[in-house]
Amino acid sequence: MLTTNKIILNKARKGRYAVGAFNFVNMEVLQGIINAAELEKSPVIVQTTEGAIDYAGIEYLSAIALTAAKKAKVPVALHLDHGKELSYIRAAIKNGYTSVMIDGSHLPFEENIAITRKAVALARKKNVSVEAELGTLGGIEDKVSGKVTLTDPAKAVEFVKRTGVDTLAVAIGTSHGAYKFKGKSKLDFRRLRQIKDVIRIPLVLHGASGIPPDIVKKAVKYGAKLRKTKGVSDAHIRKSVKEGISKINIDSDLRLTFDAAVREVIMTKPEVFDLRKILGPAREQITDIVRKKMRLFRSSRKA
Ligand code: G3H
Ligand code: 13P
Ligand code: ZN
C-alpha cells in the first residue's frame, strides 16, 4: 500500500527501529526491494535521485513504483532522494511521489532554510512529506561543498523550527559511495545523542552502505545511554535510549550486489544472451541483501 515517509518514520521513531530507503533505477532493482519488504513484512521506502530521473524519466520510474506500491501488502513510500532543484520537487509531487528530499546542505544556512521552506510549501498542498539536510557528508556531497561539515545540534533546532520539515538528514560521519569505512568506526555518536535530545522528528542517515552491522545497530538504537548525573531525570534517561536513526539510505550496496550478479552470469555463462537470465538473478540478489538490511534495521514484521 502506498503511504508517506512521515507515517512510516514517525512509527519507526516511536518503535525504535529504522526503515531502509533503497535507491532504484530500473524495474529489477525495484522489484527486488519490494519482494524483500513483502517477505520480511517490513515497511519500505523506495527512492530515486535526480540522476535516476534523468536516466529513466520520472514518468517511467513513478509508474513502476506506484504499481508496486499499490500491489504490495506492506507500506511503501516513493521518495525523491537529494532533490537539489525545486523543478524536481515539483515534478515528483506531480508524478505521485509521497515524499521529497530538498537537499540544500551545500548552501549557506539561510539559503538552505529558504529553499527548504519553498519545498515545504509545495509539498504541504499535496500531503507530501519533506526531508531536508543540515551538514554535509563525504562522497558525492563533498564534490559539491568541498568539505565535510557535521551537523550542529543548535542549528538543527533552529532549522527544524523555521522550515517545518518532517524528517532531517544529519551528518555524523558517514559518506556516500562504495568502499569506505574499512577501518574503525568514525561515527560521531556523541553528536547523534546531542541532536536527538533536542530534535523531535525522525532523523535520517545517508551514506549507510558498507557500515559495519554493529555500528548500524548502534545508530538505530541510538548509541549510548545518558548517564545518571545531577539534573538528568530518570524519565529523560529512559527516553534518551528510545529513538535513534529512523531512516537509513542505501544505494551503493545494492549497486555492488546487482553488478556482481550480472558479471557472474556474463563471465560464467558467455553463451547466455537472454536478458531475463542475466537480470533475473541480480533481482534475486537484491532481495537477499535488502532482507538482510531490514533485519539489521529491525523493521522486519513492523508492516
Ligand atoms: O546518494 C545518492 C547516490 O548514491 C548517488 O546517486 O549517482 O544517482 O546521483 P546518483
Ligand atoms: P550509499 O552510497 O552509502 O549507499 O548512500 C546512499 C544514500 O545516502 C542515498 O541518498
Ligand atoms: Zn544520500
Side-chain angles (χ1 to χ4, degrees), residues 266-287:
I266 289 175
M267 300 297 279
T268 58
K269 298 178 189 152
E271 71 284 3
V272 169
F273 64 97
D274 181 339
L275 287 183
R276 294 164 295 190
K277 297 201 169 101
I278 298 171
L279 301 180
R283 178 171 60 185
E284 280 169 27
Q285 290 299 314
I286 292 286
T287 298

Side-chain angles (χ1 to χ4, degrees), residues 14-280:
K14 286 202 188 96
R16 217 176 147 198
Y17 59 92
V19 175
F22 302 98
N23 290 68
F24 72 97
V25 296
N26 66 8
M27 185 192 74
E28 283 78 8
V29 175
L30 174 73
Q31 288 179 332
I33 299 166
I34 300 288
N35 290 345
E38 297 269 37
L39 289 165
E40 288 298 315
K41 300 191 176 22
S42 166
V44 70
I45 297 163
V46 289
Q47 57 188 16
T48 69
T49 58
E50 291 181 351
I53 290 170
D54 293 345
Y55 169 76
I58 195 162
E59 293 90 351
Y60 286 85
L61 294 177
S62 59
I64 55 174
L66 294 174
T67 302
K70 221 183 285 167
K71 285 184 67 173
K73 291 195 182 67
V74 296
V76 179
L78 174 58
H79 176 71
L80 172 70
D81 187 28
H82 291 287
K84 294 224 162 75
E85 309 275 339
L86 288 172
S87 57
Y88 284 87
I89 302 279
R90 284 195 195 88
I93 295 171
K94 186 169 159 230
N95 282 277
Y97 282 55
T98 56
S99 175
V100 291
M101 173 185 188
I102 176 71
D103 181 0
S105 60
H106 52 293
L107 299 170
F109 187 63
E110 287 300 329
E111 285 175 43
N112 190 356
I113 288 186
I115 196 167
T116 301
R117 284 174 64 97
K118 283 185 190 152
V120 170
L122 291 170
R124 284 290 171 264
K125 292 184 204 149
K126 300 282 180 191
N127 194 28
V128 166
S129 312
V130 181
E131 172 183 330
E133 178 165 330
L134 192 62
T136 54
L137 279 71
I140 53 165
E141 287 179 24
D142 64 15
K143 275 194 202 112
V144 181
S145 71
K147 63 178 165 60
V148 172
T149 318
L150 300 186
T151 307
D152 175 334
K155 287 253 187 255
V157 174
E158 184 184 345
F159 186 87
V160 170
K161 211 189 247 167
R162 288 177 59 193
T163 57
V165 286
D166 302 301
T167 58
L168 184 69
V170 292
I172 55 168
T174 54
S175 61
H176 288 101
Y179 309 117
K180 60 214 175 193
F181 244 88
K182 288 227 172 86
K184 269 182 85 72
S185 152
K186 288 191 200 74
L187 283 204
D188 190 343
F189 280 109
R190 215 177 114 84
R191 188 176 295 267
L192 174 59
R193 180 161 87 192
Q194 288 165 344
I195 297 168
K196 193 221 66 98
D197 275 349
V198 289
I199 298 288
R200 295 278 172 252
I201 57 171
L203 300 177
V204 180
L205 187 67
H206 282 247
S209 290
I211 300 184
D214 54 320
I215 295 171
V216 173
K217 255 191 218 160
K218 193 169 164 183
V220 172
K221 283 196 174 170
Y222 164 61
K225 234 182 193 175
L226 274 185
R227 279 207 191 88
K228 177 85 189 128
T229 45
K230 218 174 151 216
V232 179
S233 69
D234 288 345
H236 192 63
I237 292 173
R238 273 198 304 279
K239 216 165 169 208
S240 78
V241 291
K242 276 215 171 97
E243 317 113 9
I245 292 289
S246 306
K247 171 175 180 270
I248 301 187
N249 282 17
I250 301 282
D251 186 2
S252 300
D253 278 349
L254 303 198
R255 293 185 190 197
L256 291 168
T257 300
F258 197 90
D259 289 358
V262 168
R263 252 182 259 272
E264 165 82 13
V265 178
I266 289 175
M267 300 297 279
T268 58
K269 298 178 189 152
E271 71 284 3
V272 169
F273 64 97
D274 181 339
L275 287 183
R276 294 164 295 190
K277 297 201 169 101
I278 298 171
L279 301 180

